[in-house]
Amino acid sequence: KVLGVLNTTNASEFDYLNLLSVLSNHTDSSTINHEYFHQVINSVLTNSLNSNKVRVLARVYEIMLSMSDTLGDLSQSVPIVHQKLKLLDPQNPSYYYIEALSTLNNDPNIISNETFPALDEALKRKPNYVEALSSYGDFYEKKGDLIKAESYFSKALILNRFNEILL
C-alpha cells in the first residue's frame, strides 16, 4: 500500500513522509529488506518524478550508503541511484562529496585523480561545506603538504568550531 504512493501523481506530503518512515523501519543495524528497497528504487526510477520522490530516492541512497556492508545484490543499484540524484538535483553538493569519497576504494591513503575534481564540485556548490574542506585537509596531510592541510582544516574549524573531530 505504501509503495502505491510512488505510482500515483496525486500523493500528499503526508503520504511521502509516511513512506520515508516506512523506509527507515525496513532497516535495522544489521540487515536491509532487499526486496522492499528494490521495489522502491524501481518504482522511483520508472515513474514520473517530483520533488517528494527525489527526497525518497535520496533517503534510500543514504540508507544504502550507511549499510553498504549488508547490501549484497542491492549494491549494484548504488551507482545508478547516485547518477540519477546528480541529474535530478545537480546543485546538491553532498552527491559530489560522496562521489569523492567513493573514489578512495575503501583506502583513504590512496587518493585517486578523480577525488579532487569531485571535491571541487562539492565546494563550488557549497563553499562552506565543512566535510569537504576537512577531507581536503586530510588528503593534503596524507600527501605531506601540511601548510595546505592546515589551511583547509582552519577554514573548516572556523565554520564549525565545535566539531570534535576537527579539534
Side-chain angles (χ1 to χ4, degrees):
K1 179 183 177 195
V2 175
L3 280 176
V5 169
L6 297 173
N7 299 321
T8 184
T9 56
N10 60 354
S12 70
E13 183 76 16
F14 177 78
D15 292 331
Y16 284 103
L17 291 174
N18 187 33
L19 175 58
L20 289 170
S21 173
V22 169
L23 281 173
S24 295
N25 291 335
H26 276 270
T27 63
D28 65 31
S29 61
S30 63
T31 62
I32 187 168
N33 184 324
H34 290 219
E35 169 134 0
Y36 188 79
F37 274 75
H38 274 298
Q39 290 174 357
V40 170
I41 292 166
N42 288 335
S43 185
V44 170
L45 295 179
T46 58
N47 290 300
S48 62
L49 289 166
N50 59 35
S51 61
N52 284 318
K53 289 180 185 177
V54 172
R55 283 182 30 217
V56 167
L57 192 60
R59 180 66 184 128
V60 166
Y61 186 62
E62 289 172 12
I63 291 169
M64 290 167 67
L65 290 176
S66 70
M67 302 186 73
S68 59
D69 295 343
T70 62
L71 288 179
D73 65 330
L74 195 54
S75 65
Q76 297 169 6
S77 299
V78 172
I80 296 166
V81 172
H82 177 82
Q83 288 304 319
K84 186 69 168 184
L85 286 169
K86 275 179 53 180
L87 288 171
L88 295 170
D89 189 9
Q91 295 307 312
N92 189 327
S94 63
Y95 304 138
Y96 297 91
Y97 176 69
I98 291 167
E99 185 175 314
L101 296 183
S102 72
T103 65
L104 300 177
N105 296 323
N106 299 324
D107 187 350
N109 295 312
I110 300 173
I111 300 168
S112 163
N113 290 337
E114 300 161 1
T115 303
F116 289 111
L119 279 177
D120 288 340
E121 286 297 322
L123 287 172
K124 185 187 325 178
R125 285 158 176 75
K126 184 177 176 186
N128 294 335
Y129 195 178
V130 172
E131 291 85 354
L133 291 167
S134 177
S135 291
Y136 256 125
D138 285 338
F139 299 145
Y140 280 117
E141 183 179 37
K142 287 177 177 85
K143 289 177 79 173
D145 191 337
L146 300 182
I147 294 172
K148 277 189 179 179
E150 184 197 5
S151 170
Y152 281 101
F153 284 137
S154 294
K155 287 178 191 175
L157 195 53
I158 288 169
L159 294 167
N160 189 353
R161 63 185 175 159
F162 299 109
N163 186 318
E164 291 181 26
I165 294 171
L166 291 172
L167 293 173

